[in-house]
């Protein structure tokens, strides 16, 4: 068991990927805080049931778990979430930011509320738990207690490559990648690694939007879209074995793990003076010929 006695928070753990992560951490010996508001796939309503059911499932398997219904997109809720882990298990070693929902719409039809709601749960809902977990770990280090902690954030292929009809979701998930890079740089001094995953799996958020891709296979065949396929990587990133890995984004789908390579300096041209706008067409065309085409290619 690679996470024995590590204390793990998983947000959005009542269903889908979060539930799979919580169960995998429990199988790997972790003590799990199962956080979920019990909202619909569109972020509506609330229920304590999903978090309590997953926590009970873990306990029935012989593990240790508590349910938490804090709203992680509020400062007070994120603070209470971290406090729940400390009170229940005496510490915190791993934070898995996973909670989210969809409000899909083409950009010209999207309302301000639909934009704000998705930004709130995905981006703010990553920032605030990360902030309060970071405050705890910083305090531990200042008190002379060693920290070997992990944060695993959840981005998406939509955030890395874009997704038509998901402008709010794609922007939030791209923001999570930027947040991951900053947090990795800032929290490394406290013994904390921060990575992100971009998973592809069948959940309430994907089974209708990408129905053909997410369809279950024939009985007996490998189910590449099962959420449980993603969780072993998340558990490993939460283990002590991953202490040398930080600031990375991993795409994971079925049995495939891919290290994503983001922006890096490419071809450049410097004339040592201000450019004339009329001269830039041929120059930019030349630079672009030296680059690798983007993924995906639009307008072709």
């Amino acid at each position: 068991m690679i996470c024995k006695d590590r204390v793990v928070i998983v947000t959005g753990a009542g269903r889908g990927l979060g539930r799979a992560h919580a169960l995998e951490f429990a199988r790997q010996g972790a003590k799990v805080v199962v956080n979920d508001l019990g909202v619909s796939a569109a972020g509506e309503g609330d229920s304590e049931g999903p978090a309590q059911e997953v926590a009970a499932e873990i306990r029935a398997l012989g593990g240790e778990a508590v349910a938490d219904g804090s709203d992680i997109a509020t400062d007070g809720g994120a603070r209470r979430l971290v406090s729940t882990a400390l009170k229940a298990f005496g510490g915190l070693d791993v934070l898995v930011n996973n909670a989210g929902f969809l409000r899909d719409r083409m950009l010209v039809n999207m309302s301000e509320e639909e934009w704000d709601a998705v930004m709130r749960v995905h981006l703010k809902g990553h920032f605030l738990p990360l902030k309060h977990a970071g405050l705890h770990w910083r305090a531990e280090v200042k008190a002379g207690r060693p920290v070997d902690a992990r944060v695993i954030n959840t981005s998406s292929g939509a955030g890395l490559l874009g997704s038509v009809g998901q402008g709010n979701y794609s922007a939030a998930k791209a923001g999570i990648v930027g947040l991951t890079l900053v947090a990795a740089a800032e929290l490394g001094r406290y013994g904390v690694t921060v990575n992100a995953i971009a998973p592809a799996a069948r959940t309430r958020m994907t089974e209708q939007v990408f129905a053909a891709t997410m369809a279950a296979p024939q009985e007996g065949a490998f189910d590449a879209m099962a959420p449980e396929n993603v969780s072993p990587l998340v558990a490993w990133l939460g283990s002590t074995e991953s202490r040398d890995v930080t600031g990375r984004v991993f795409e994971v789908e079925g049995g495939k793990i891919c290290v994503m390579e983001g922006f890096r300096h490419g071809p450049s041209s410097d004339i040592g003076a201000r450019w004339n706008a009329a001269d830039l067409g041929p120059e930019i065309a030349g630079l672009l010929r030296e680059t690798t085409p983007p993924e995906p290619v639009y307008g072709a």
Side-chain angles (χ1 to χ4, degrees):
M1 294 189 290
I2 64 172
C3 294
K4 186 170 177 56
D5 294 327
R6 285 174 75 74
V7 178
V8 180
I9 289 172
V10 184
T11 70
R15 303 181 179 94
L17 282 167
R19 174 183 175 273
H21 299 341
L23 289 169
E24 180 64 22
F25 272 110
R27 281 190 287 268
Q28 296 300 331
K31 303 171 184 179
V32 186
V33 177
V34 180
N35 167 263
D36 202 285
L37 278 179
V39 300
S40 71
E44 299 164 339
D46 63 82
S47 170
E48 297 178 355
Q52 292 177 344
E53 289 167 8
V54 174
E57 189 175 358
I58 290 171
R59 291 192 294 268
L61 294 171
E64 296 184 60
V66 296
D68 177 89
S70 300
D71 183 352
I72 46 86
T74 67
D75 190 76
R79 186 187 300 111
R80 284 191 297 275
L81 174 60
V82 172
S83 179
T84 295
L86 300 180
K87 289 177 180 177
F89 300 123
L92 177 61
D93 301 295
V94 183
L95 169 64
V96 180
N97 285 315
N98 168 77
F101 56 72
L102 294 177
R103 299 280 178 87
D104 290 353
R105 197 84 65 188
M106 300 297 279
L107 287 172
V108 295
N109 296 323
M110 186 177 297
S111 70
E112 185 177 3
E113 188 278 331
E114 288 166 335
W115 176 273
D116 288 345
V118 169
M119 286 294 171
R120 178 184 183 275
V121 69
H122 287 280
L123 195 49
K124 192 176 180 183
H126 271 61
F127 158 62
L128 288 173
L130 179 53
K131 171 187 174 180
H132 286 287
L135 285 170
H136 165 69
W137 290 321
R138 184 181 69 174
E140 290 292 284
V141 169
K142 288 186 174 180
R145 293 184 285 270
V147 170
D148 193 9
R150 307 285 180 268
V151 177
I152 301 97
N153 291 330
T154 306
S155 182
S156 167
L160 302 174
L161 303 175
S163 179
V164 173
Q166 293 187 309
N168 49 4
Y169 179 74
S170 296
K173 290 303 192 182
I176 287 167
V177 172
L179 178 63
T180 298
L181 299 178
V182 172
E186 292 185 359
L187 298 181
R189 72 193 73 177
Y190 305 124
V192 183
T193 69
V194 186
N195 295 285
I197 61 166
R202 186 187 311 106
T203 69
R204 293 187 304 165
M205 291 171 55
T206 62
E207 61 185 355
Q208 293 183 349
V209 178
F210 306 107
T213 303
M214 296 298 161
Q218 293 182 346
E219 186 176 352
F222 174 55
D223 186 356
M225 290 299 122
E228 293 77 11
N229 298 330
V230 176
S231 302
L233 173 62
V234 176
W236 183 82
L237 287 171
S239 74
T240 57
E241 292 183 15
S242 67
R243 64 172 55 92
D244 295 326
V245 181
T246 194
R248 294 287 193 168
V249 179
F250 296 88
E251 192 176 54
V252 52
E253 173 184 335
K256 178 182 177 181
I257 295 172
C258 174
V259 181
M260 299 299 287
E261 296 184 340
F263 288 113
R264 59 179 65 233
H265 294 295
S268 64
S269 182
D270 184 355
I271 61 173
R274 184 182 301 121
W275 283 96
N276 183 331
D279 297 333
L280 283 174
E283 193 67 33
I284 297 300
L287 291 175
L288 291 176
R289 281 195 295 269
E290 298 178 39
T291 66
T292 302
E295 301 176 40
V297 178
Y298 293 113

